[in-house]
Amino acid sequence: MTAPAPAISFEFFPPQNMAATFRLWDAVQTLSPLDPRFVSVTYGAGGTTRDLTLEAVGALHASSGLKVAAHLTCVSATKAETLALADQFAAAGVSDIVALRGDPPKGSGGFTPHPEGFSGSVELIGALAAKGTFNIRVGAYPDPHPEAAYEGADVDHLKAKFDAGADEALTQFFFEPETFLRFRDACAAKGIDKPIVPGILPIENWKGVKSFAQRCGAPIPQWLDDAFATAERDGRADLLAVALCTEMCTKLREEGVDTLHFYTLNRPELTRDVCHALGVTPKVALQEVA
Ligand code: FAD
């Protein structure tokens, strides 16, 4: 018997100029008929897109008919400023937040809390949860986060986030299903029973993904590097990306994963093709987007 199609969600980033705005709306129009649980909008590293994120979140909420989640980080801001922004999201009709410590500004050498800011994600989550009105999602790391102090630190830290009031975790992307499944098992062994949704990245640009993974310290399987080298030489990298991503999602589905979160990078085609291959087909009429 065919398994029911998975529930899905999509991550976008806020556009910085007119051309990027058109690309975002194109991505939203392409993917919204797949009926995502929610779409999320990122918050620039170093807190750089505060206004753009607010604007994109408000516009998506008002025009797309989709549930929207706003990413919020505590980098370079006081507690009052961070919570005021959360209140502005709420005022725009958005009560789903992806609460993160955040990446520091480029070249700053590491995260240092603002003197009057949150010490990290757990304190931010606690403050948002205390308001009692937000649905709070958080980040999780199946491959160790570069700042993990010991093996299993990311599991302990995720537990602290759930204990502080998080409702669901979305993971960083990973290259092999076993990476997620091992992490899920380790979380269960620590008593975590809240949903942990794998973050899925259809690989559109292998060079870029590889360099990001290297910066994060995520291990890159040699077979994957070889496969993309061959596919790029033959002009078939997109086909490989869809095939590999579909295969990974299928293995996750076979292991009981029923919800997937896609990193779209505002490029909808590969994500749409993977979703179709997984049996996620258009469900709603296209919304008119401004
Ligand atoms: P945390 O999980 O709080 O910390 C990361 C790891 O560091 C922990 O797992 C733990 O191993 C260690 N650690 C940190 N603090 C402690 C502590 N007090 N005690 C013990 N261990 C600790 N970045 C952005 O700037 N904008 C975004 O919009 C954005 N969206 C993201 C969405 C998702 C789904 C994910 C997974 C990541 C996203 N990021 C984003 C990246 C994220 O901000 C970085 O990975 C950042 O370095 C960590 O943020 P976090 O809240 O996940 O950190």
Side-chain angles (χ1 to χ4, degrees):
M1 201 176 74
T2 324
I8 47 161
S9 53
F10 302 123
E11 179 186 290
F12 300 111
F13 60 82
Q16 307 246 10
N17 55 45
M18 191 57 84
T21 303
F22 282 120
R23 267 205 304 280
L24 171 61
W25 286 117
D26 177 49
V28 171
Q29 277 207 304
T30 302
L31 295 174
S32 61
L34 299 178
D35 195 21
R37 292 193 300 147
F38 68 92
V39 297
S40 77
V41 181
T42 61
Y43 194 78
T48 45
T49 64
R50 183 194 159 94
D51 293 340
L52 291 174
T53 299
L54 182 57
E55 213 176 290
V57 156
L60 272 174
H61 172 74
S63 315
S64 71
L66 301 170
K67 183 183 264 294
V68 181
H71 291 218
L72 178 64
T73 77
C74 29
V75 173
S76 307
T78 66
K79 289 183 190 181
E81 286 165 345
T82 305
L83 292 178
L85 183 54
D87 289 339
Q88 282 180 280
F89 290 141
V94 170
S95 56
D96 282 50
I97 290 197
V98 182
L100 302 141
R101 186 199 71 185
D103 277 327
K106 279 199 182 101
S108 66
F111 175 76
T112 311
H114 185 287
E116 293 162 47
F118 289 108
S119 59
S121 60
V122 174
E123 201 187 2
L124 170 63
I125 293 157
L128 292 173
K131 286 181 175 273
T133 49
F134 290 113
N135 183 28
I136 304 168
R137 296 189 176 85
V138 296
Y141 298 88
D143 279 316
H145 186 278
E147 290 164 60
Y150 55 91
E151 201 186 328
D154 295 311
V155 176
D156 291 340
H157 200 59
L158 181 58
K159 180 153 188 349
K161 294 185 194 187
F162 280 128
D163 290 346
D167 298 294
E168 181 175 281
L170 307 172
T171 79
Q172 186 56 281
F173 69 83
F174 48 87
F175 295 123
E176 293 177 305
E178 294 75 20
T179 308
F180 174 81
L181 297 171
R182 274 194 300 272
F183 181 71
R184 187 181 68 170
D185 287 349
C187 290
K190 287 277 179 175
I192 295 175
D193 57 4
K194 296 252 177 81
I196 303 172
V197 177
I200 305 294
L201 177 68
I203 298 172
E204 175 133 357
N205 168 356
W206 174 239
K207 256 197 204 104
V209 170
K210 197 171 141 182
S211 119
F212 181 75
Q214 278 161 341
R215 282 201 307 279
C216 296
I220 297 163
Q222 188 59 48
W223 66 263
L224 188 58
D225 201 23
D226 295 343
F228 270 102
T230 308
E232 275 167 4
R233 192 195 58 211
D234 298 344
R236 300 168 78 91
D238 280 3
L239 269 181
L240 177 71
V242 171
L244 288 179
C245 191
T246 303
E247 189 187 352
M248 183 166 84
C249 293
T250 302
K251 283 193 184 151
L252 292 171
R253 303 275 297 121
E254 285 165 4
E255 295 293 334
V257 173
D258 57 9
T259 310
L260 304 166
H261 180 66
F262 285 90
Y263 293 106
T264 72
L265 306 181
N266 294 13
R267 304 266 177 197
E269 291 81 11
L270 297 189
T271 296
R272 177 204 55 206
D273 291 352
V274 172
C275 285
H276 285 180
L278 294 170
V280 182
T281 47
K283 292 189 187 65
V284 292
L286 274 179
Q287 298 275 343
E288 197 62 44
V289 287

